[in-house]
Amino acid sequence: MKILLLGSGGREHAIARALRNDESTVLLAAPGNPGIGELAQLLELDILDGEAVAAAAREHGVDLVVVGPEAPLVAGVADAVRAAGIPVFGPSGAAAQLEGSKAFAKEVMEAAGVPTAQARVCTTLAQVDTALEEFGAPHVVKDDGLAAGKGVVVTEDRAAARAHAAACLGLAEDADLDAEGTPGKRVVIEDFLDGPEVSLFCICDGETAIPLAPAQDFKRAYDGGQGPNTGGMGAYSPLPWAPAGLSQEVVDTVALPVLREMARRGTPFSGLLYCGLALTSKGLRVVEFNVRFGDPETQVVLARLRSSLPQLLVAAARGELAAHPPLEWSEGAAVTVVLAAPGYPGTVTTGGEITGIDAANASAGAHVIHAGTKRVEAGGDVVQLVANGGRVLCVVGEGDDVPAARTAAYAALSHLALEGSHHRSDIAAQI
């Protein structure tokens, strides 16, 4: 099977590894990264241009297009590929609004009867103040649109919550209370959900949903859950403490009701439904939806998958999931730790040289995922690998259980060097 994978981050490198685990896969990728380039033929392609993606897929005789990031999905790239008669794994632009708009996702959840936090959609600071007062601290403030995993602020500080809300609306903090935000800008204020969070990916074909293994990620930048929210600083799977039957409960009470509601609206959902969940004192609640594989949870979930990922994704693209056999999983565990560039998640310093990749990859039970790297010429025949993003590398360790996988990940990480970089030392330390 010839597959075209779109994207350039850690999620896409992890997907590329899993796709290539099936020996029958011929892999193309655009734009890719140095890690993906070791597994695929890289193409120069604007992945936000649906017509260009469809044309490239036709030119190369592609059997399946897999869209990794959220931006091309919201831009409707999957629509153009489907219109060209090529199977694609990823929802339509209309269905991708489940991630593209927090307000839309809340509307769908309400209509589908999906349990979630109470929320208020605000377009003025007066509405923000009312919502913050109504829900109280901790305050949960979400940018309505795409924000690369960094549009959410959870804080006890009322002023910080209000400032983030104003920024989401494109307003100054001292703006008139009734001033409307930038046209099209909205901010969502939510009730805080207690309890541990879980990420569960569901592969969907519009009618059927197949859950992957649950995972948990670590959003805060620093040890002990301190610092600002990030796109994720590490993750692990499986979750030994999770209730038995959790995955099926999510399928029955979240994924399938959403699929039915989306179909009722005339925008059937085919692709990856990422269910961000909180296991609260009042039961399971949805924190958010994404419409693509999550990063860095993908790194650990796909490391444990033993079934063919290409066959699973093409079945979803063709509407044939109901006939797909049960998934097979490693009985062991996987842990990933993110190495971040100086300044992340704030003002990031890129360009620093990375060393130790080969030694880390050779470390027992571990492999390195490229998330934000590139190769540059450093004079003569010397080529350096340098940081090219906030989250630079993910080190994945595998073992018989979570502690063993954690040990493998940190042992491999010890070989890596990037001046000024940082990582959390407590990923999966307490489960």
Side-chain angles (χ1 to χ4, degrees):
M1 186 187 306
K2 184 177 284 189
I3 299 174
L4 172 59
L5 171 64
L6 305 184
S8 62
R11 163 185 49 235
E12 287 77 34
H13 189 188
I15 293 171
R17 281 178 54 90
L19 291 172
R20 283 296 306 275
N21 281 342
D22 190 317
E23 295 181 355
S24 67
T25 298
V26 176
L27 189 61
L28 312 175
N33 65 34
I36 297 171
E38 297 175 0
L39 301 167
Q41 175 189 346
L42 300 186
L43 306 179
E44 291 188 8
L45 184 62
D46 180 358
I47 66 171
L48 294 176
D49 183 339
E51 296 302 327
V53 172
R58 282 194 302 266
E59 177 186 349
H60 291 276
V62 165
D63 301 300
L64 175 69
V65 175
V66 177
V67 186
E70 59 272 27
L73 292 169
V74 172
V77 167
D79 299 89
V81 176
R82 283 195 183 92
I86 300 167
V88 57
F89 182 75
S92 66
Q97 287 302 305
L98 281 174
E99 179 170 0
S101 169
K102 302 293 190 299
F104 175 76
K106 285 291 185 183
E107 179 185 311
V108 169
M109 281 187 270
E110 181 178 1
V114 170
T116 186
Q118 295 185 68
R120 301 291 179 264
V121 179
C122 305
T123 58
T124 69
L125 286 179
Q127 293 170 349
V128 167
D129 286 338
T130 299
L132 292 174
E133 181 66 28
E134 177 184 1
F135 292 137
H139 304 290
V140 181
V141 184
K142 297 183 176 182
D143 194 329
D144 180 52
L146 297 179
K150 292 179 285 186
V152 180
V153 164
V154 181
T155 179
E156 296 278 352
D157 186 333
R158 171 76 173 265
R162 191 177 192 274
H164 182 63
C168 291
L169 293 173
L171 294 171
E173 290 182 59
D174 59 354
D176 185 276
L177 289 180
D178 292 320
E180 290 284 339
T182 302
K185 292 283 189 179
R186 298 183 293 182
V187 65
V188 178
I189 313 296
E190 287 189 358
D191 196 11
F192 178 75
L193 297 175
D194 62 354
E197 293 193 7
V198 174
S199 300
L200 185 71
F201 306 155
C202 292
I203 307 293
C204 305
D205 67 0
E207 295 182 357
T208 301
I210 295 180
L212 302 187
Q216 185 177 61
D217 75 336
F218 295 75
K219 289 294 187 189
R220 297 288 185 171
Y222 309 123
D223 284 4
Q226 300 299 306
N229 269 338
T230 71
M233 295 298 292
Y236 69 99
S237 177
L239 310 181
W241 48 267
L246 173 63
S247 295
Q248 192 59 51
E249 180 184 0
V250 175
V251 168
D252 293 340
T253 64
V254 178
L256 290 180
V258 166
L259 293 187
R260 289 191 289 267
E261 174 60 19
M262 293 297 284
R264 186 191 69 79
R265 290 167 177 253
T267 53
F269 186 93
S270 175
L272 192 290
L273 182 64
Y274 171 128
C275 302
L277 311 163
L279 306 186
T280 78
S281 56
K282 298 179 181 178
L284 182 149
R285 297 290 186 272
V286 173
V287 177
E288 65 175 352
F289 287 135
N290 292 328
V291 297
R292 37 70 189 180
F293 283 98
D295 191 346
E297 299 99 315
T298 300
Q299 284 84 310
V300 293
V301 172
L302 294 187
R304 298 185 55 235
L305 181 65
R306 295 296 176 260
S307 298
S308 167
L309 183 63
Q311 294 301 324
L312 177 63
L313 300 190
V314 79
R318 293 174 176 168
E320 299 171 353
L321 282 180
H324 196 279
L327 299 182
E328 297 180 4
W329 297 92
S330 161
E331 294 183 0
V335 172
T336 189
V337 183
V338 171
L339 181 73
Y344 180 78
T347 302
V348 174
T349 301
T350 60
E353 183 181 6
I354 303 160
T355 60
I357 291 278
D358 290 343
N361 272 321
S363 188
H367 62 270
V368 178
I369 294 290
H370 290 246
T373 67
K374 70 176 180 178
R375 297 194 188 280
V376 297
E377 293 184 3
D381 296 328
V382 177
V383 177
Q384 292 180 342
L385 184 71
V386 301
N388 190 41
R391 291 182 294 172
V392 180
L393 298 167
C394 300
V395 183
V396 181
E398 297 180 67
D400 291 338
D401 53 24
V402 172
R406 182 177 187 275
T407 296
Y410 279 103
L413 181 67
S414 70
H415 294 289
L416 298 174
L418 169 62
E419 186 176 355
S421 63
H422 64 98
H423 66 272
R424 285 185 59 160
S425 66
D426 62 349
I427 302 299
Q430 297 178 341
I431 59 171

